[in-house]
Amino acid sequence: MELIYRGAEADVFKGGWCDRPAVYKVRKPLTYRLPELDGLIRSQRTSHEAQIIHQSRGAGVPAPWLYYVSPEEALLVMEFVEGERLKTVLMDPAMTGRRARELGAEFGRDIARLHAAGIMHGDLTTSNVIVGGGRLTLIDFGLAIRSQRLEDQAVDLRLIKETVTGAHNGVSKPFMRSLLAGYSEVLGGTRTAAAARKLAEIERRGRYARVE
Amino acid sequence: MRGNLRVLGIESTAHTFSASVVGEREGVITNAKDVYLPPEGSGIHPAEAADHHLSVAARVVREALDEAGAQGLDDVDAVAYSMGPGLGPCLRVGAVTARALSLASGKPLVAVNHAVGHIELGCLLTGARAPLVLLISGGHTMVLAHSNGVWRVLGETLDLTLGQLLDQIGRHVGFASPCGRRIEEAAARSSRYLRLPYTVKGNDVSFSGVLTAAKRLVDGGAPPEDVFYSVQETAFAITTEVTERALAFTGARELLVVGGVAANRRLSEMLRKMAERHEASVMVVPPQFSGDCGAQIAWTGLLAYRAGESLAGVAESVVRQSWRLDTVRTPWRA
């Protein structure tokens, strides 16, 4: 099998499953963590991630098909989604403001569907979105949680904002604006405004933030 | 400007009053300090810390200048002070000292962000050039990378800092702040792990749950060394995990660790094990410079002054108790 991504908590390999290309996600033991703490975290996150992926697909959010789940081995086998990471796409020097807005709106709609179903992705960086096949697919639900709280929705949005302004500063403004517009297409203006207010409140709570 | 700039820096954001002389070629020349120590079982009292700073300011500044062989202020080109973030009463002592020295000598004033100071001194002392930075202290717990003229925050604490977590659990058993070293020593005597909440939210961390659960364990009669061991193992694993996420995301080859908690050996051991997997080198600021010190202000002041950043006069030399790191301009970095 071919290693395609060495992530922070898991290694991702490309292999096959019943004649289809498949992704093997293995949470390897992290030697810096105490073994007892590490084993528990890895198996819990594996079975939790499988449940959330299943629920996300049910909510109409594009996520990979699950083929096989083994909490004991901390292993997930999933559909291989063809395409490129949103991170790579946004860093392309040929990226236009218009294309960034389209991607932002689409991403916003997907997140809103997820939130409407009570699922917080928990790791909405641009590394965890695949652009391909005429749509976006969300991957890596390893830190996702179930929640109905506005606070958690805003934390999800805040991570995207943090990542986009940190790593894709050139296109961050049009991208974030259309992301919120897409979000509001699904969840409505009232809930979107409430989430945006909560997001601003969380930023003000940040250490040494200037209180406007 | 002369060929070899020299800057006097004054630090007074929290419990440390410190003054330092740095040179463009020599790096850190002197670093004098005097630290306010609160009574056992309590934390820093801002007004008392400020009183302490006032009583030692003149002596510490003289020490820094004399040991540098400086002829008073004639041999320095600028006076830098920490403008913030920090405790208001403490910051004001540093600002007043710097103003007085600037007015008396006619040398320009340079305002420095304390947190940027930790990073720039760390780069000077370790040789890090374009690092991912883990800043861990009583005031900050942040993962940062430099981009588009500022240090951008890739992840940070949503509540307590690592330093606060260690200080508050230490005070709960009767230590005086800062408690990091005593906690590390006690933790080294235990290997019994007690379960504590493990909270990572995306790239951010939360330690309030760890603190509450740890206090309950202490109150329930658990041996303090077991609690300290478990707090360190949990909180440091959380910190290492988000640092690893940022390292994987940025692909950085250097990880610079700065701030008071950088002195903890268990944490740097975890970071080194983690970084191996990503073929990144871990550069930890030497322990004598991990805590707050004048050198971080003097060196960053020198970089800023060389880049043309100085205050127009004492009227601008305010203090800023809240001053987020990611809003500070850093024109000396490309």
Side-chain angles (χ1 to χ4, degrees):
Chain A
M1 283 196 296
E2 172 202 358
L3 177 72
I4 50 175
Y5 183 67
R6 167 151 289 177
E9 67 158 352
D11 286 345
V12 178
F13 299 89
K14 186 178 179 183
W17 188 265
C18 301
D19 299 329
R20 292 160 199 248
V23 164
Y24 285 67
K25 176 171 180 174
V26 194
R27 289 180 161 82
K28 293 211 305 191
L30 295 178
T31 53
Y32 63 79
R33 258 188 324 227
L34 279 186
E36 50 197 305
L37 179 61
D38 187 54
L40 200 67
I41 292 171
R42 286 187 296 123
S43 76
Q44 276 178 356
R45 285 186 181 170
T46 301
S47 60
H48 184 72
E49 181 174 2
Q51 286 168 23
I52 295 262
I53 289 177
H54 183 68
Q55 290 159 353
S56 301
R57 291 191 55 88
V61 177
W65 281 101
L66 274 176
Y67 297 156
Y68 178 72
V69 181
S70 171
E72 297 74 28
E73 301 159 275
L75 168 69
L76 287 178
V77 184
M78 303 167 268
E79 172 193 3
F80 178 83
V81 180
E82 298 284 349
E84 272 194 287
R85 287 172 192 277
L86 181 58
K87 179 187 176 188
T88 318
V89 174
L90 286 179
M91 278 177 171
D92 186 341
M95 173 55 54
T96 62
R98 182 195 167 124
R99 181 70 182 132
R101 281 194 295 275
E102 281 170 14
L103 289 166
E106 171 96 34
F107 192 19
R109 286 189 291 269
D110 286 337
I111 300 160
R113 286 185 199 109
L114 212 55
H115 286 180
I119 298 165
M120 307 299 122
H121 185 280
D123 194 12
L124 283 174
T125 68
T126 48
S127 287
N128 286 334
V129 185
I130 304 284
V131 185
R135 62 170 189 183
L136 303 181
T137 305
L138 304 195
I139 59 167
D140 196 355
F141 288 73
L143 288 175
I145 53 167
R146 293 206 58 96
S147 161
Q148 303 286 347
R149 292 170 64 214
L150 186 62
E151 166 95 15
D152 292 322
Q153 294 170 21
V155 168
D156 239 7
L157 293 173
R158 177 171 174 277
L159 180 61
I160 308 169
K161 191 176 169 189
E162 209 173 55
T163 313
V164 173
T165 43
H168 313 295
N169 201 245
V171 292
S172 67
K173 282 198 175 121
F175 184 85
M176 280 309 294
R177 255 201 309 275
S178 47
L179 185 142
L180 284 176
Y183 192 82
S184 102
E185 279 174 42
V186 175
L187 277 178
T190 317
R191 275 187 73 176
T192 305
R197 272 197 303 277
K198 196 52 135 179
L199 170 63
E201 183 196 316
I202 292 172
E203 286 174 333
R204 282 198 300 276
R205 254 189 261 150
R207 298 186 63 83
Y208 307 125
R210 295 295 298 278
V211 180
E212 306 289 335
Chain B
M1 281 190 203
R2 300 180 304 169
N4 182 23
L5 285 178
R6 282 194 172 190
V7 172
L8 170 71
I10 292 166
E11 154 63 23
S12 70
T13 49
H15 36 53
T16 301
F17 187 91
S18 175
S20 158
V21 176
V22 298
E24 203 171 5
R25 291 201 204 107
E26 303 94 321
V28 181
I29 301 168
T30 62
N31 188 43
K33 64 161 85 174
D34 197 306
V35 181
Y36 156 79
L37 285 175
E40 288 282 290
S42 59
I44 183 167
H45 187 303
E48 283 170 18
D51 280 348
H52 161 269
H53 294 352
L54 265 177
S55 67
V56 303
R59 175 175 58 77
V60 172
V61 170
R62 191 169 300 122
E63 229 174 273
L65 287 171
D66 287 352
E67 283 172 23
Q71 304 298 311
L73 284 163
D74 292 345
D75 287 352
V76 303
D77 299 272
V79 179
Y81 74 103
S82 53
M83 184 183 250
L87 303 169
C90 300
L91 286 170
R92 277 176 214 114
V93 177
V96 163
T97 309
R99 275 174 217 145
L101 292 167
S102 167
L103 284 172
S105 64
K107 303 293 164 105
L109 273 174
V110 182
V112 171
N113 176 287
H114 172 85
V116 171
H118 274 299
I119 300 175
E120 293 299 349
L121 181 65
C123 287
L124 171 74
L125 298 175
T126 63
R129 302 173 68 88
L132 181 78
V133 176
L134 175 61
L135 168 59
I136 38 177
S137 63
H140 293 83
T141 293
M142 281 180 167
V143 184
L144 306 130
H146 196 268
S147 134
N148 288 27
V150 293
W151 286 100
R152 304 240 173 230
V153 179
L154 297 172
E156 66 180 309
T157 180
L158 298 172
D159 39 56
L160 299 171
T161 64
L162 257 185
Q164 286 174 318
L165 169 67
L166 296 174
D167 280 352
Q168 292 196 25
I169 192 63
R171 265 146 56 189
H172 198 65
V173 304
F175 297 168
S177 299
C179 314
R181 183 180 299 178
R182 286 171 76 175
I183 287 180
E184 183 177 0
E185 284 165 6
R189 293 194 295 272
S190 166
S191 57
R192 191 162 82 98
Y193 183 70
L194 310 167
R195 278 294 302 280
L196 291 171
Y198 188 99
T199 314
V200 170
K201 294 185 179 181
N203 288 346
D204 294 328
V205 301
S206 160
F207 295 128
S208 55
V210 178
L211 179 62
T212 307
K215 280 181 171 174
R216 282 204 191 117
L217 286 172
V218 170
D219 295 343
E225 60 269 27
D226 291 348
V227 177
F228 295 155
Y229 172 73
S230 309
V231 165
Q232 284 203 156
E233 289 302 319
T234 310
F236 294 170
I238 291 171
T239 306
T240 305
E241 183 176 341
V242 295
T243 308
E244 178 166 27
R245 300 167 66 75
L247 204 57
F249 183 77
T250 58
R253 283 281 160 267
E254 301 169 327
L255 170 62
L256 174 67
V257 191
V258 294
V261 190
N264 188 296
R265 278 157 303 179
R266 174 58 181 142
L267 177 59
S268 38
E269 182 194 340
M270 281 195 200
L271 291 168
R272 278 183 217 286
K273 279 189 187 167
M274 175 277 284
E276 255 173 39
R277 230 165 78 86
H278 300 273
E279 290 161 21
S281 50
V282 179
M283 304 160 120
V284 183
V285 68
Q288 67 271 31
F289 290 105
S290 64
D292 297 348
C293 63
Q296 73 195 73
I297 305 305
W299 179 250
T300 312
L302 187 149
L303 296 175
Y305 182 62
R306 198 166 59 184
E309 301 257 306
S310 58
L311 300 180
V314 290
E316 287 186 3
S317 63
V318 294
V319 299
R320 297 172 69 176
Q321 297 184 59
S322 288
W323 188 12
R324 256 183 90 80
L325 181 46
D326 53 8
T327 64
V328 183
R329 293 188 308 131
T330 54
W332 57 88
R333 275 189 182 267

